[in-house]
Amino acid sequence: MAVTDIVTLDNLSTKLPQWRPDAANHLYAIVDMGSNGVRFSITSLAPPFSRLLNPLFSTRAAISLFDALTPSHAGGDGLVFPEQTIIDVAEAVASFHRVAVAHGVPQEQMYIFATEAMRRAENAGDILDAIRASTGGLGVQILAPEVETLCGAVMGTRSSLVGVPGGALFLDLGGGSVQMTWVDTSTPGYMYEAATAGSSMPYGAAKLIRVLEHQSLETQALEIDTLRTGIKSVYDILCAKFPALQAIRDAYDRGEEANVDVYMCGGGFRGYGTMLMHDDAIKPYPIPSISTYTVDGAKFKETQRMLSINASYEGKIYGLSKRRRQQFPAIVQVVEAFISAVPNIGHVTFSGGSNRQGALQMMLPPEIRESNPLEVLANIDPLEKHMFDAGLELLLSSLPDPSIVSRMPTILVPGLGYLFIKELWTRAGHEADTNASISLHTSIIRDPGCPGLTHLSRALLGIALATRWGSFLSPADAQLEQGLISIIQRYGSEALFWTRYLGAVAGAIAEILPFSPASAEELKQAVEFKSEIVQKEHSRVVKLSIGIACDHARRLDEESLIDNIKLATKNKNEGSPKKVSVTIYKRA
């Protein structure tokens, strides 16, 4: 492959052949030659779980291509890779190639991507030739800036989400560059629109730390000013291009409370997110992964506090390498430049996505790429879907106001509700306190990196399922529960109340029908709910009526069932109902 073999938006479809469901092999090996390190991965796109981008192998070589760039002996401004770097990269890729072959990955489904550092090197052809020679002919695909924006900032981030209807700013900070664009997944062709509208600026963490550590104060000030001007200019362009973003900006300028949500990926931004998580008010923070960790704009803006912690904290910070901490001042400069350009930041979510996920997403057909990953994960048998839908409808009917599910996060969001119902009758032979504990722990570690399973989704699932089992917890588990509760409470006290309420209602369903129903009709005939909110003098009370089929009512301890719901939903938090009153009636 020649050095001029650049992947552009125009030739992308020929460089990334489309996935076929009837293919003999669904394994893909990807080498992502970033400026800060080289990542290797093997992924399965086997149906029906193709959308989940199931990782089978992953490792990283700590080779910084950007740091390796040195001035050319020919003089001028040219940069080249030293001979030893070429050897190291070729050996690392060759080693991974052997691993990929051992896993059964076909040669034609092995891809090597390179970005900013490779685009800058005068002797990039030498490293491409060395890789080709050491792997039996594999070429390197150098991503043009707009394709790097597409695969990293746009689809790499989007891969971990159910969707972003309404739009948000997407940013990616690597070692050599930073990308920024606007993404609205409800718009047809949004990925190409976002890639062409966005911009890539040569201010990655590795490059900028060089400036801060080795250049004069005058040069530093000039580069930082250029960075800030560049991000401001990109934001102006995006506002002019996307009316929804301009409307948010105009409303904010008029003094209204109008915020823009932000999604960030790339090692640089994940490093900043990891520092925020280290300093989180929830201690210990219950979920280990940085992917889909979310903070509000006020916390995100505490850049100087994060810089101070990085400088003063002597121990190891979980998730932050020595190199990332060394680059942290440069990361903060990029974050502050973004804050200066976009002061009205709502929530910021950090994504574990990268060029790997983005490229694989682009291979999938739209109907799979845009499908809800939580529904894919639930993998409901079509013959059982009516029963699961009936379960969701039953839970929804227990709410006094159906709009609750659209006003705040609940366990009933599409996909998550299926996962919840699948667990209602699981492990019924074990003690309730054991099941409550398992529910909490499983929620934070199950399906690591799975798209759609955000920190909030995991918290909702854990608390609702633990409540279904009565929340009988040991002191250690109570601490984990409180951490998950605190995540939910960031979205309002009502979100927590209704999560517990739905968990308690689900527990009642499982008590009335102590086995997974064979059909939707069996579930509907067994139980029904009616509810309303009654305003008392100083509080609101939910009045819940439960209609139970006579055949099931005969063996129930009604007093115990009522007490379980009342205990689970007793609430002291302002802004949400204080308690639930329960009555039971018999159905024919």
Side-chain angles (χ1 to χ4, degrees), residues 112-400:
I112 305 175
F113 302 124
T115 55
E116 177 70 13
M118 197 71 74
R119 291 195 293 261
R120 295 177 54 133
E122 287 186 349
N123 64 339
D126 294 342
I127 203 167
L128 305 187
D129 290 341
I131 289 173
R132 183 190 296 275
S134 66
T135 60
L138 282 181
V140 177
Q141 298 183 334
I142 301 178
L143 305 183
E146 65 273 15
V147 177
E148 186 176 359
T149 299
L150 172 68
C151 291
V154 180
M155 297 309 293
T157 300
R158 192 265 177 273
S159 70
S160 63
L161 307 169
V162 172
V164 190
L169 288 171
F170 278 39
L171 291 91
D172 180 1
L173 177 60
S177 59
V178 57
Q179 290 86 37
M180 176 174 167
T181 190
W182 171 261
V183 176
D184 181 348
T185 57
S186 65
T187 304
Y190 68 87
M191 68 288 292
Y192 295 109
E193 187 177 30
T196 54
S199 294
S200 178
M201 294 158 279
Y203 285 97
K207 175 182 178 179
L208 199 52
I209 197 63
R210 275 189 179 183
V211 173
L212 297 180
E213 290 182 344
H214 302 296
Q215 298 296 324
S216 66
L217 292 177
E218 182 180 359
T219 300
Q220 291 180 40
L222 180 62
E223 291 285 0
I224 291 170
D225 182 67
T226 303
L227 167 65
R228 289 184 170 232
T229 302
I231 290 183
K232 172 66 164 53
S233 176
V234 172
Y235 184 53
D236 291 341
I237 293 170
L238 293 175
C239 286
K241 173 73 174 177
F242 299 100
L245 181 58
Q246 183 65 54
I248 295 173
R249 187 184 202 179
D250 290 343
Y252 177 76
D253 289 343
R254 291 193 301 268
E256 300 175 20
E257 187 176 343
N259 295 323
V260 58
D261 286 335
V262 180
Y263 292 86
M264 291 182 155
C265 72
F269 285 136
R270 281 194 292 270
Y272 187 72
T274 300
M275 188 66 78
L276 289 168
M277 192 160 72
H278 171 75
D279 188 52
D280 200 290
I282 302 173
K283 294 190 182 300
Y285 191 81
I287 300 173
S289 172
I290 184 61
S291 184
T292 70
Y293 172 67
T294 300
V295 296
D296 61 28
K299 181 63 181 178
F300 180 78
K301 292 179 181 180
E302 293 182 1
T303 54
Q304 290 305 304
R305 177 176 173 81
M306 299 306 109
L307 199 59
S308 175
I309 292 172
N310 185 65
S312 61
Y313 193 84
E314 295 182 356
K316 179 170 175 55
I317 295 177
Y318 175 77
L320 278 177
S321 65
K322 181 179 179 181
R323 176 177 175 78
R324 192 68 69 197
R325 290 188 69 176
Q326 180 259 335
Q327 292 178 346
F328 201 76
I331 295 170
V332 167
Q333 287 292 345
V334 177
V335 170
E336 289 185 338
F338 173 67
I339 293 170
S340 176
V342 188
N344 55 321
I345 297 170
H347 285 93
V348 180
T349 299
F350 298 90
S351 168
S354 65
N355 287 327
R356 173 187 81 89
Q357 290 93 333
L360 291 170
Q361 281 277 84
M362 293 307 298
M363 295 180 190
L364 295 172
E367 63 271 18
I368 293 179
R369 184 172 63 228
E370 300 304 317
S371 62
N372 185 330
L374 295 179
E375 294 181 350
V376 175
L377 178 63
N379 193 31
I380 303 300
D381 187 316
L383 297 177
E384 297 180 341
K385 190 172 183 299
H386 288 305
M387 193 280 290
F388 279 86
D389 288 338
L392 292 177
E393 291 171 8
L394 189 60
L395 289 170
L396 183 62
S397 73
S398 74
L399 296 174

Side-chain angles (χ1 to χ4, degrees), residues 12 69 121 254 260 449 512 566:
L12 181 66
L69 288 172
R254 291 193 301 268
V260 58
I512 295 164
K566 286 183 175 181

Side-chain angles (χ1 to χ4, degrees), residues 33-35 38 63-69 81 85 89 117-118 127:
M33 299 175 63
S35 298
V38 183
I63 303 173
S64 173
L65 295 178
F66 198 93
D67 285 353
L69 288 172
F81 292 123
T85 298
V89 170
M118 197 71 74
I127 203 167

